[in-house]
Amino acid sequence: MTETSGPAGAPDGAERSTDAAIEDLEQELSVLWRRARASSLGMAREVHPDMEPSAYGLMVLLHQQGPMRLTDLAAAVGVGKPSLSRQVAMLQTLGLVEKHTDPVDGRAQPINLTEVGASRLEGTATARKEHFRRTWTGWETEELQTLVRLLHKLNASVRPAAGQADKQPAEDNDGSGGSAPDGTADQDENPSRNENRS
């Protein structure tokens, strides 16, 4: 049977199906982000009891990428520089990261993990790997590969435009939204939705 459009201005069947799928996806992602934030909080506390989950994500990124300038770090996690500066300052106070002068560009100050920061982060690596291994128990390799492909497409879709993160109000980028265990910053969930799929 051919799908027909409803009254003028009303969505047809395909549009309604897409809208419903997007709503379902939004809810599932909200659940995922909440659980990822809780997991990241636990691992952050293992590194230092005063560290926030979002700061843990920054440390993971620095461990993966090596020294990064503040601008590049902000672009990588999609957070405004003023907010990121506060997080970096907090990590400096805890002795987990440090800034040093770039030998090529004296004005730049790349940020990197201290020996203490790297040691504590590596200390959580085993627990983090075991967490992910438990998460994917029962998944087929093909399913994991499909999920990787779709998540890559999702990350490309939600990446902020150049300069967009710096234009957002600082209070929206204070890191309170948390980050996933792999260091990627998450987005604020819709508070009107309930976690009824746990």
Side-chain angles (χ1 to χ4, degrees):
M1 180 180 295
T2 304
E3 188 73 54
T4 57
S5 299
D12 60 20
E15 289 176 338
R16 285 195 299 271
S17 296
T18 299
D19 288 344
I22 290 174
E23 289 179 2
D24 289 344
L25 177 60
E26 180 185 9
Q27 182 164 336
E28 294 297 337
L29 287 176
S30 292
V31 173
L32 175 62
W33 280 320
R34 279 195 293 272
R35 293 177 179 173
R37 181 161 55 246
S39 175
S40 187
L41 175 62
M43 287 184 281
R45 293 295 189 260
E46 290 185 19
V47 175
H48 195 285
D50 296 329
M51 194 169 71
E52 299 175 355
S54 53
Y56 174 81
L58 295 179
M59 290 185 65
V60 171
L61 186 59
L62 289 171
H63 187 261
Q64 294 172 340
Q65 303 294 330
M68 297 179 69
R69 299 183 182 186
L70 185 66
T71 300
D72 297 331
L73 191 57
V77 299
V79 174
K81 288 193 291 185
S83 174
L84 191 63
S85 293
R86 291 193 294 272
Q87 294 181 35
V88 169
M90 182 269 293
L91 289 173
Q92 283 184 284
T93 300
L94 298 177
L96 302 175
V97 304
E98 62 186 356
K99 294 181 180 179
H100 58 89
T101 303
D102 190 319
V104 177
D105 183 356
R107 297 170 300 175
Q109 291 186 307
I111 302 160
N112 64 283
L113 297 177
T114 62
E115 290 185 10
V116 172
S119 176
R120 292 192 180 182
L121 186 65
E122 289 167 1
T124 68
T126 300
R128 187 171 66 246
K129 289 178 181 179
E130 181 58 28
H131 167 76
F132 277 111
R133 192 171 296 278
R134 289 196 309 268
T135 299
W136 308 119
T137 297
W139 286 60
E140 300 292 339
T141 300
E142 184 177 349
E143 292 177 315
L144 292 173
Q145 292 171 339
T146 299
L147 181 60
V148 169
R149 177 177 56 81
L150 294 175
L151 286 175
H152 179 77
K153 184 175 182 179
L154 173 64
N155 286 330
S157 298
V158 300
R159 182 180 299 277
Q164 179 179 340
D166 291 338
K167 294 179 182 178
Q168 295 176 349
E171 59 268 25
D172 289 340
N173 291 299
D174 62 0
S176 59
S179 62
D182 64 355
T184 57
D186 71 18
Q187 299 178 3
D188 289 338
E189 65 194 55
N190 185 342
S192 65
R193 293 189 175 276
N194 296 320
E195 187 178 339
N196 58 11
R197 300 194 178 200
S198 36

